[in-house]
Amino acid sequence: MLLLAMVMLCCAVVAATLALFEPVSGQTSDPRVATRGPIDAATETPVRIVGAPFVPNIKPRER
């Protein structure tokens, strides 16, 4: 129990330290943040499937 308490305390200290250095919500200065809207799933290109489709073996005695 003592070991669990010490690990939990150390993790809480690390999380609190990282939270202090995190930028405030709503103020993104990172240029890598995406600014475009949602992706339209209907415009995706079809994918070429190589090989036989997977069929689960539900009868192991029959091959």
Side-chain angles (χ1 to χ4, degrees):
M1 291 300 282
L2 181 64
L3 180 62
L4 178 63
M6 293 303 294
V7 170
M8 198 165 67
L9 180 65
C10 290
C11 290
V13 168
V14 170
T17 305
L18 291 176
L20 288 175
F21 293 114
E22 213 172 280
V24 178
S25 170
Q27 297 176 352
T28 58
S29 62
D30 192 5
R32 295 176 291 172
V33 175
T35 57
R36 62 182 181 163
I39 298 172
D40 186 16
T43 61
E44 291 183 2
T45 58
V47 178
R48 181 176 159 224
I49 299 174
V50 178
F54 175 75
V55 179
N57 186 10
I58 56 174
K59 299 177 186 176
R61 294 181 185 205
E62 298 176 10
R63 288 197 168 203

